[in-house]
Coordinates of all heavy atoms in Angstrom, one line a residue:
M24 N 0.8 -1.2 0.0 CA 0.0 0.0 0.0 C 0.9 1.2 0.0 O 1.8 1.4 0.9 CB -0.9 -0.1 1.2 CG -1.8 1.1 1.4 SD -3.2 0.7 2.4 CE -2.7 1.4 3.9
A25 N 0.7 2.1 -0.9 CA 1.5 3.3 -1.1 C 1.1 4.4 -0.1 O -0.1 4.5 0.2 CB 1.4 3.8 -2.5
K26 N 2.0 5.1 0.4 CA 1.7 6.1 1.4 C 1.2 7.3 0.6 O 1.6 7.6 -0.5 CB 3.0 6.6 2.1 CG 3.5 5.5 3.1 CD 4.6 6.1 3.9 CE 5.1 5.1 4.9 NZ 6.2 5.6 5.7
S27 N 0.2 8.0 1.2 CA -0.3 9.2 0.5 C 0.7 10.3 0.6 O 1.6 10.3 1.4 CB -1.7 9.6 1.2 OG -1.4 10.1 2.5
K28 N 0.5 11.3 -0.2 CA 1.4 12.5 -0.2 C 1.3 13.2 1.1 O 2.3 13.7 1.6 CB 0.9 13.4 -1.3 CG 1.3 12.9 -2.7 CD 0.9 13.9 -3.7 CE 1.2 13.4 -5.1 NZ 0.9 14.4 -6.1
L29 N 0.1 13.2 1.7 CA 0.0 13.8 3.0 C 0.8 13.2 4.1 O 1.4 13.8 5.0 CB -1.5 13.8 3.4 CG -2.0 14.8 4.5 CD1 -1.6 16.2 4.1 CD2 -3.5 14.7 4.7
V30 N 0.8 11.8 4.1 CA 1.6 11.1 5.2 C 3.1 11.3 4.9 O 3.8 11.5 5.9 CB 1.2 9.6 5.1 CG1 2.2 8.8 5.9 CG2 -0.2 9.3 5.5
K31 N 3.5 11.3 3.7 CA 4.9 11.5 3.4 C 5.3 12.9 3.8 O 6.4 13.2 4.4 CB 5.2 11.3 1.9 CG 5.2 9.9 1.5 CD 5.5 9.7 0.0 CE 5.4 8.3 -0.5 NZ 5.6 8.1 -1.9
A32 N 4.5 13.9 3.5 CA 4.8 15.3 3.9 C 4.8 15.4 5.4 O 5.7 16.1 5.9 CB 3.7 16.2 3.3
N33 N 3.9 14.8 6.1 CA 3.9 14.8 7.5 C 5.2 14.2 8.1 O 5.8 14.7 9.1 CB 2.7 14.1 8.1 CG 2.5 14.3 9.5 OD1 2.8 15.3 10.1 ND2 1.9 13.3 10.2
E34 N 5.6 13.1 7.5 CA 6.9 12.5 8.0 C 8.1 13.4 7.8 O 9.0 13.5 8.6 CB 7.1 11.1 7.3 CG 6.1 10.0 7.8 CD 6.3 8.8 7.1 OE1 7.0 8.7 6.1 OE2 5.6 7.8 7.5
E35 N 8.1 14.1 6.6 CA 9.2 15.0 6.4 C 9.3 16.1 7.3 O 10.3 16.5 7.8 CB 9.1 15.5 4.9 CG 9.5 14.4 3.8 CD 9.3 15.0 2.4 OE1 9.1 16.2 2.2 OE2 9.2 14.1 1.5
I36 N 8.1 16.7 7.6 CA 8.0 17.8 8.5 C 8.4 17.3 9.9 O 9.2 18.0 10.6 CB 6.5 18.3 8.6 CG1 6.2 19.0 7.3 CG2 6.3 19.3 9.8 CD1 4.7 19.4 7.1
A37 N 8.0 16.1 10.3 CA 8.4 15.6 11.6 C 9.9 15.4 11.7 O 10.5 15.7 12.8 CB 7.7 14.3 11.9
E38 N 10.5 14.9 10.7 CA 12.0 14.7 10.7 C 12.7 16.1 10.8 O 13.7 16.2 11.6 CB 12.4 14.0 9.4 CG 12.0 12.5 9.4 CD 12.4 11.9 8.1 OE1 13.1 12.5 7.2 OE2 11.9 10.7 7.8
K39 N 12.2 17.1 10.1 CA 12.8 18.4 10.2 C 12.7 19.0 11.5 O 13.6 19.6 12.1 CB 12.3 19.3 9.0 CG 12.7 18.9 7.7 CD 12.2 19.7 6.6 CE 12.7 19.3 5.2 NZ 12.2 20.1 4.1
V40 N 11.5 18.9 12.1 CA 11.2 19.4 13.5 C 12.1 18.8 14.5 O 12.8 19.4 15.3 CB 9.7 19.3 13.8 CG1 9.5 19.6 15.3 CG2 8.9 20.2 13.0
V41 N 12.2 17.4 14.4 CA 13.0 16.7 15.4 C 14.5 17.1 15.1 O 15.3 17.3 16.1 CB 12.8 15.2 15.2 CG1 13.9 14.4 16.0 CG2 11.4 14.8 15.7
G42 N 14.9 17.2 13.9 CA 16.3 17.6 13.6 C 16.6 19.0 14.1 O 17.7 19.2 14.7
G43 N 15.7 19.9 13.9 CA 15.9 21.3 14.4 C 15.9 21.3 16.0 O 16.8 22.0 16.5
Y44 N 15.1 20.5 16.6 CA 15.1 20.4 18.1 C 16.4 19.9 18.6 O 17.0 20.4 19.5 CB 13.9 19.5 18.5 CG 14.0 19.2 20.0 CD1 13.5 20.2 20.9 CD2 14.6 18.1 20.5 CE1 13.6 20.0 22.3 CE2 14.6 17.8 21.9 CZ 14.1 18.8 22.8 OH 14.3 18.6 24.1
R45 N 16.9 18.8 17.9 CA 18.2 18.2 18.4 C 19.3 19.3 18.2 O 20.2 19.3 19.1 CB 18.5 17.0 17.6 CG 17.6 15.8 18.0 CD 18.1 14.5 17.4 NE 17.2 13.5 17.8 CZ 16.7 12.5 17.1 NH1 17.0 12.5 15.8 NH2 16.0 11.6 17.6
K46 N 19.3 20.0 17.1 CA 20.4 21.1 17.0 C 20.3 22.1 18.1 O 21.3 22.5 18.6 CB 20.3 21.7 15.6 CG 20.7 20.8 14.5 CD 20.5 21.6 13.1 CE 20.9 20.6 12.0 NZ 20.7 21.3 10.7
I47 N 19.1 22.5 18.4 CA 18.9 23.5 19.4 C 19.4 22.9 20.8 O 20.0 23.6 21.6 CB 17.5 24.0 19.5 CG1 17.1 24.8 18.3 CG2 17.2 24.8 20.8 CD1 15.7 25.1 18.1
E48 N 18.9 21.7 21.0 CA 19.3 21.0 22.3 C 20.8 20.9 22.4 O 21.4 21.2 23.5 CB 18.7 19.6 22.3 CG 18.9 18.9 23.6 CD 18.3 17.5 23.6 OE1 18.2 16.9 22.5 OE2 18.0 17.0 24.7
E49 N 21.5 20.5 21.4 CA 22.9 20.3 21.4 C 23.6 21.7 21.7 O 24.6 21.8 22.4 CB 23.4 19.8 20.1 CG 23.1 18.3 20.0 CD 23.5 17.7 18.6 OE1 24.0 18.5 17.7 OE2 23.1 16.6 18.3
S50 N 23.1 22.8 21.1 CA 23.6 24.1 21.3 C 23.5 24.5 22.7 O 24.4 25.1 23.3 CB 23.0 25.1 20.4 OG 23.2 24.8 19.0
V51 N 22.3 24.3 23.3 CA 22.0 24.8 24.6 C 22.8 24.0 25.6 O 23.5 24.5 26.5 CB 20.5 24.7 24.9 CG1 20.2 24.8 26.4 CG2 19.7 25.7 24.1
V52 N 22.8 22.7 25.4 CA 23.6 21.8 26.4 C 25.1 22.1 26.2 O 25.8 22.2 27.2 CB 23.3 20.3 26.1 CG1 24.2 19.4 26.9 CG2 21.8 20.1 26.5
G53 N 25.6 22.3 25.0 CA 27.0 22.6 24.8 C 27.4 23.9 25.4 O 28.4 24.0 26.1
G54 N 26.5 24.9 25.3 CA 26.8 26.2 25.9 C 26.8 26.1 27.4 O 27.6 26.7 28.1
Y55 N 25.8 25.3 28.0 CA 25.8 25.2 29.4 C 27.0 24.5 30.0 O 27.6 24.9 30.9 CB 24.5 24.3 29.9 CG 24.5 24.0 31.3 CD1 24.1 24.9 32.2 CD2 25.0 22.8 31.8 CE1 24.1 24.7 33.6 CE2 25.0 22.5 33.1 CZ 24.5 23.4 34.0 OH 24.5 23.2 35.4
K56 N 27.5 23.4 29.2 CA 28.6 22.7 29.7 C 29.9 23.6 29.6 O 30.7 23.5 30.5 CB 28.8 21.5 28.8 CG 27.9 20.4 29.2 CD 28.1 19.1 28.3 CE 27.1 18.0 28.7 NZ 27.4 16.8 27.9
K57 N 30.0 24.4 28.6 CA 31.1 25.4 28.5 C 31.1 26.3 29.7 O 32.1 26.6 30.3 CB 31.0 26.1 27.2 CG 32.2 27.0 27.0 CD 32.2 27.7 25.6 CE 33.4 28.6 25.4 NZ 33.3 29.2 24.1
V58 N 29.9 26.9 30.0 CA 29.8 27.8 31.1 C 30.2 27.1 32.4 O 30.9 27.6 33.3 CB 28.4 28.4 31.2 CG1 28.2 29.2 32.5 CG2 28.2 29.4 30.0
E59 N 29.7 25.9 32.6 CA 29.9 25.1 33.8 C 31.4 24.8 33.9 O 32.0 25.0 35.0 CB 29.1 23.8 33.7 CG 29.3 22.9 34.9 CD 28.6 21.6 34.8 OE1 28.5 21.0 33.7 OE2 28.1 21.1 35.8
R60 N 32.1 24.4 32.9 CA 33.5 24.2 32.9 C 34.3 25.4 33.3 O 35.2 25.4 34.1 CB 34.0 23.6 31.6 CG 33.8 22.2 31.4 CD 34.5 21.7 30.1 NE 34.2 22.4 28.9 CZ 33.3 22.1 28.1 NH1 32.5 21.1 28.3 NH2 33.1 22.9 27.0
T61 N 33.9 26.5 32.8 CA 34.5 27.8 33.1 C 34.4 28.2 34.5 O 35.3 28.6 35.2 CB 34.0 28.9 32.2 OG1 34.2 28.5 30.8 CG2 34.7 30.3 32.4
V62 N 33.2 28.1 35.0 CA 32.8 28.5 36.4 C 33.5 27.5 37.4 O 34.2 28.0 38.3 CB 31.3 28.5 36.7 CG1 31.0 28.6 38.1 CG2 30.7 29.6 35.9
V63 N 33.4 26.2 37.2 CA 34.1 25.3 38.0 C 35.6 25.4 38.0 O 36.3 25.4 39.0 CB 33.7 23.9 37.7 CG1 34.5 22.8 38.4 CG2 32.2 23.6 38.0
G64 N 36.2 25.7 36.8 CA 37.6 25.9 36.7 C 38.1 27.1 37.4 O 39.1 27.2 38.2
G65 N 37.3 28.2 37.3 CA 37.6 29.5 38.1 C 37.5 29.2 39.6 O 38.3 29.7 40.3
Y66 N 36.5 28.5 40.0 CA 36.3 28.2 41.5 C 37.5 27.4 42.0 O 38.0 27.7 43.0 CB 35.0 27.5 41.7 CG 34.9 27.0 43.1 CD1 34.5 27.8 44.1 CD2 35.3 25.7 43.5 CE1 34.5 27.5 45.5 CE2 35.2 25.3 44.8 CZ 34.8 26.1 45.8 OH 34.8 25.7 47.1
R67 N 37.9 26.4 41.2 CA 39.1 25.6 41.6 C 40.3 26.4 41.7 O 41.1 26.2 42.6 CB 39.2 24.4 40.7 CG 38.2 23.3 40.9 CD 38.4 22.1 40.2 NE 37.4 21.1 40.5 CZ 36.8 20.3 39.6 NH1 37.2 20.3 38.4 NH2 35.9 19.5 40.0
K68 N 40.6 27.3 40.8 CA 41.7 28.2 40.9 C 41.7 29.0 42.2 O 42.7 29.1 42.9 CB 41.8 29.1 39.7 CG 42.2 28.4 38.4 CD 42.3 29.4 37.3 CE 42.6 28.7 36.0 NZ 42.7 29.6 34.8
V69 N 40.6 29.6 42.5 CA 40.5 30.4 43.7 C 40.6 29.5 44.9 O 41.3 29.9 45.9 CB 39.1 31.1 43.7 CG1 38.8 31.8 45.1 CG2 39.0 32.1 42.6
E70 N 40.0 28.4 44.9 CA 40.1 27.4 46.1 C 41.6 27.0 46.3 O 42.1 27.0 47.4 CB 39.3 26.2 45.8 CG 39.3 25.1 46.9 CD 38.6 23.9 46.5 OE1 38.8 23.4 45.4 OE2 37.8 23.4 47.4
D71 N 42.3 26.6 45.2 CA 43.7 26.3 45.3 C 44.5 27.4 45.8 O 45.4 27.2 46.6 CB 44.2 25.7 43.9 CG 43.6 24.4 43.6 OD1 43.0 23.7 44.4 OD2 43.8 24.0 42.4
A72 N 44.3 28.6 45.3 CA 45.1 29.7 45.8 C 44.8 30.0 47.3 O 45.7 30.2 48.0 CB 44.7 31.0 45.0
F73 N 43.6 29.9 47.7 CA 43.3 30.0 49.2 C 44.0 29.0 50.0 O 44.6 29.3 51.0 CB 41.7 30.0 49.4 CG 41.4 30.2 50.8 CD1 41.3 31.4 51.4 CD2 41.1 29.1 51.6 CE1 40.9 31.6 52.7 CE2 40.8 29.2 53.0 CZ 40.7 30.5 53.5
V74 N 43.8 27.7 49.6 CA 44.4 26.7 50.3 C 45.9 26.8 50.4 O 46.6 26.7 51.4 CB 44.1 25.3 49.7 CG1 44.9 24.1 50.3 CG2 42.6 25.0 49.9
D75 N 46.5 27.2 49.2 CA 48.0 27.4 49.1 C 48.4 28.5 50.1 O 49.4 28.4 50.8 CB 48.4 27.7 47.7 CG 49.9 27.8 47.5 OD1 50.6 27.0 48.2 OD2 50.4 28.6 46.7
R76 N 47.7 29.6 50.1 CA 48.1 30.8 50.9 C 47.8 30.6 52.4 O 48.7 31.0 53.2 CB 47.4 32.0 50.4 CG 47.7 33.2 51.1 CD 47.1 34.4 50.5 NE 48.2 35.3 50.1 CZ 48.1 36.4 49.3 NH1 46.9 36.6 48.7 NH2 49.0 37.1 49.0
Y77 N 46.7 30.0 52.7 CA 46.4 30.0 54.2 C 46.3 28.7 54.9 O 46.3 28.7 56.1 CB 45.0 30.7 54.3 CG 44.9 32.1 53.8 CD1 44.3 32.4 52.7 CD2 45.6 33.1 54.5 CE1 44.2 33.8 52.2 CE2 45.5 34.4 54.1 CZ 44.9 34.7 53.0 OH 44.8 36.0 52.5
L78 N 46.2 27.6 54.2 CA 46.0 26.3 54.8 C 47.1 25.3 54.7 O 47.1 24.2 55.3 CB 44.7 25.7 54.3 CG 43.4 26.6 54.6 CD1 42.2 26.0 53.9 CD2 43.2 26.9 56.0
T79 N 48.1 25.5 53.8 CA 49.2 24.6 53.7 C 50.2 24.7 54.8 O 50.4 25.8 55.4 CB 49.9 24.7 52.4 OG1 50.4 26.1 52.2 CG2 49.1 24.3 51.2
R80 N 50.8 23.6 55.1 CA 51.9 23.6 56.1 C 53.2 23.6 55.4 O 53.2 23.4 54.2 CB 51.7 22.4 57.0 CG 50.5 22.4 57.9 CD 50.4 21.2 58.8 NE 49.2 21.3 59.7 CZ 48.7 20.3 60.3 NH1 49.2 19.1 60.2 NH2 47.6 20.5 61.1
E81 N 54.2 23.8 56.1 CA 55.5 23.9 55.5 C 55.8 22.7 54.7 O 55.8 21.6 55.1 CB 56.6 24.1 56.6 CG 58.0 24.5 56.1 CD 58.0 25.9 55.5 OE1 57.3 26.7 56.1 OE2 58.8 26.1 54.6
G82 N 56.2 22.9 53.4 CA 56.6 21.8 52.5 C 55.4 21.0 52.0 O 55.6 19.9 51.3
E83 N 54.2 21.4 52.3 CA 53.0 20.6 51.9 C 52.4 21.2 50.6 O 52.3 22.4 50.4 CB 52.0 20.7 53.0 CG 50.8 19.8 52.8 CD 49.8 19.9 54.1 OE1 49.5 21.0 54.5 OE2 49.4 18.9 54.5
S84 N 52.0 20.3 49.7 CA 51.4 20.7 48.4 C 49.9 21.0 48.7 O 49.4 20.7 49.7 CB 51.6 19.7 47.3 OG 50.7 18.6 47.6
V85 N 49.3 21.7 47.7 CA 47.9 22.0 47.8 C 47.1 20.7 47.9 O 46.2 20.6 48.7 CB 47.5 22.9 46.6 CG1 46.0 23.1 46.6 CG2 48.2 24.3 46.6
E86 N 47.4 19.7 47.1 CA 46.7 18.5 47.1 C 46.8 17.8 48.4 O 45.8 17.2 49.0 CB 47.2 17.6 46.0 CG 46.8 18.1 44.6 CD 47.7 19.2 44.1 OE1 48.9 19.3 44.6 OE2 47.3 19.9 43.2
E87 N 48.0 17.8 49.0 CA 48.2 17.2 50.3 C 47.4 17.9 51.4 O 46.9 17.3 52.3 CB 49.7 17.2 50.7 CG 50.5 16.3 49.8 CD 52.0 16.5 50.0 OE1 52.5 17.5 50.4 OE2 52.8 15.5 49.6
A88 N 47.4 19.2 51.3 CA 46.7 20.0 52.3 C 45.2 19.7 52.2 O 44.5 19.6 53.2 CB 46.9 21.5 52.1
K89 N 44.7 19.6 51.0 CA 43.3 19.3 50.8 C 42.9 17.9 51.4 O 41.9 17.7 52.0 CB 42.9 19.4 49.3 CG 42.7 20.8 48.8 CD 42.3 20.8 47.3 CE 42.0 22.1 46.7 NZ 41.6 22.0 45.3
A90 N 43.8 17.0 51.1 CA 43.6 15.6 51.6 C 43.6 15.6 53.2 O 42.8 15.0 53.8 CB 44.6 14.7 51.1
R91 N 44.5 16.4 53.7 CA 44.6 16.4 55.2 C 43.4 17.1 55.7 O 42.8 16.6 56.7 CB 45.9 17.2 55.6 CG 46.0 17.5 57.1 CD 47.2 18.3 57.5 NE 47.4 19.5 56.7 CZ 46.8 20.7 56.9 NH1 45.9 20.8 57.9 NH2 47.1 21.7 56.1
L92 N 42.9 18.2 55.1 CA 41.7 18.9 55.6 C 40.5 18.0 55.5 O 39.6 18.0 56.4 CB 41.5 20.2 54.8 CG 42.6 21.2 55.1 CD1 42.4 22.3 54.1 CD2 42.4 21.8 56.5
Q93 N 40.4 17.3 54.4 CA 39.2 16.3 54.3 C 39.3 15.2 55.3 O 38.2 14.9 55.9 CB 39.3 15.7 52.8 CG 38.2 14.7 52.6 CD 36.8 15.4 52.6 OE1 36.7 16.6 52.2 NE2 35.8 14.8 53.0
A94 N 40.4 14.7 55.6 CA 40.6 13.7 56.6 C 40.2 14.3 58.0 O 39.5 13.6 58.8 CB 42.0 13.1 56.7
E95 N 40.6 15.5 58.3 CA 40.2 16.1 59.5 C 38.7 16.3 59.7 O 38.1 16.1 60.7 CB 40.9 17.5 59.7 CG 42.4 17.4 60.0 CD 43.1 18.7 60.0 OE1 42.4 19.8 60.1 OE2 44.3 18.8 60.0
Q96 N 38.1 16.7 58.5 CA 36.6 16.9 58.6 C 35.9 15.5 58.8 O 35.0 15.5 59.6 CB 36.1 17.4 57.2 CG 36.3 18.9 57.1 CD 35.6 19.4 55.8 OE1 35.6 18.7 54.8 NE2 35.1 20.6 55.8
V97 N 36.4 14.4 58.2 CA 35.8 13.1 58.5 C 36.0 12.7 59.9 O 35.0 12.2 60.5 CB 36.4 12.1 57.5 CG1 36.0 10.7 57.8 CG2 36.0 12.4 56.0
R98 N 37.2 12.9 60.4 CA 37.4 12.6 61.8 C 36.5 13.3 62.8 O 36.0 12.8 63.7 CB 38.9 12.8 62.1 CG 39.3 12.4 63.6 CD 40.8 12.8 63.9 NE 41.1 14.2 63.6 CZ 40.7 15.2 64.4 NH1 40.0 15.0 65.5 NH2 41.1 16.5 64.1
Q99 N 36.4 14.6 62.6 CA 35.5 15.5 63.4 C 34.1 15.0 63.3 O 33.4 15.0 64.3 CB 35.7 16.9 63.0 CG 37.0 17.5 63.4 CD 37.2 19.0 62.9 OE1 36.4 19.5 62.2 NE2 38.3 19.6 63.3
A100 N 33.6 14.7 62.1 CA 32.2 14.2 62.0 C 32.1 12.9 62.7 O 31.0 12.7 63.3 CB 31.9 14.1 60.5
Q101 N 33.0 12.0 62.6 CA 32.9 10.7 63.3 C 32.9 10.9 64.9 O 32.1 10.3 65.6 CB 34.0 9.8 62.9 CG 34.0 9.3 61.5 CD 35.2 8.5 61.1 OE1 36.2 8.6 61.7 NE2 35.0 7.7 60.0
E102 N 33.8 11.9 65.4 CA 33.8 12.2 66.8 C 32.5 12.8 67.2 O 32.0 12.4 68.3 CB 35.0 13.1 67.1 CG 36.3 12.5 67.0 CD 37.5 13.5 67.3 OE1 37.1 14.6 67.5 OE2 38.6 13.0 67.2
K103 N 31.9 13.6 66.4 CA 30.7 14.3 66.8 C 29.5 13.2 66.8 O 28.7 13.3 67.6 CB 30.4 15.4 65.8 CG 29.1 16.2 66.1 CD 29.0 17.3 65.1 CE 27.8 18.2 65.5 NZ 27.6 19.3 64.5
A104 N 29.6 12.3 65.9 CA 28.5 11.2 65.8 C 28.6 10.3 67.0 O 27.6 9.7 67.4 CB 28.6 10.5 64.5
H105 N 29.8 10.1 67.6 CA 30.0 9.1 68.6 C 30.4 9.8 70.0 O 31.4 9.4 70.6 CB 31.2 8.2 68.2 CG 30.9 7.4 67.0 ND1 29.9 6.4 67.0 CD2 31.4 7.4 65.8 CE1 29.8 5.9 65.7 NE2 30.7 6.5 65.0
V106 N 29.6 10.8 70.4 CA 29.9 11.5 71.6 C 29.4 10.6 72.8 O 28.2 10.2 72.8 CB 29.2 12.9 71.7 CG1 29.3 13.5 73.0 CG2 29.7 13.8 70.5
P107 N 30.3 10.3 73.7 CA 29.9 9.4 74.8 C 28.9 10.2 75.7 O 28.9 11.4 75.9 CB 31.2 9.3 75.7 CG 32.3 9.8 74.8 CD 31.7 10.7 73.8
G108 N 27.9 9.4 76.2 CA 26.8 10.0 77.1 C 25.7 10.5 76.3 O 24.6 10.8 76.9
K109 N 25.7 10.5 75.0 CA 24.6 10.9 74.1 C 24.1 9.8 73.4 O 24.8 9.0 72.8 CB 25.0 12.1 73.2 CG 25.1 13.4 73.8 CD 25.2 14.5 72.8 CE 25.2 15.9 73.4 NZ 25.3 16.9 72.4
E110 N 22.8 9.7 73.3 CA 22.2 8.6 72.5 C 21.8 9.2 71.1 O 21.3 10.3 71.0 CB 20.9 8.1 73.1 CG 21.2 7.3 74.4 CD 20.0 6.7 75.0 OE1 19.1 6.4 74.2 OE2 19.9 6.6 76.2
N111 N 22.1 8.4 70.1 CA 21.8 8.9 68.7 C 20.6 8.1 68.1 O 20.3 7.1 68.3 CB 23.0 8.6 67.8 CG 24.2 9.5 68.1 OD1 24.0 10.6 68.7 ND2 25.4 9.1 67.8

C-alpha cells in the first residue's frame, strides 16, 4: 500500500522538526557545559590559591593540604557522631 502524499509530507515535517530540536538542544547543552567548565575551573583556581596561601603547612602541596583537611573533617564528623553519654 503506497503512502499518501499527506503522510509523506507529515513524516518529512516531523523529521525536520526533530532535527531542528536536536540542533537547538545540542547548542544549549553545549553552551551550558562550557559555562559550567569555566565556572568550576575558576572556582578551583580560587580554592587552590586560598588553600595554598592560608592552609598549607611547611613543605606541603595544595593537594596534600586538601587531603589532610578532608581527613580532619571526616574525623571530626565521626567524633561528633560518637559523643559518649549521648544517644543517637
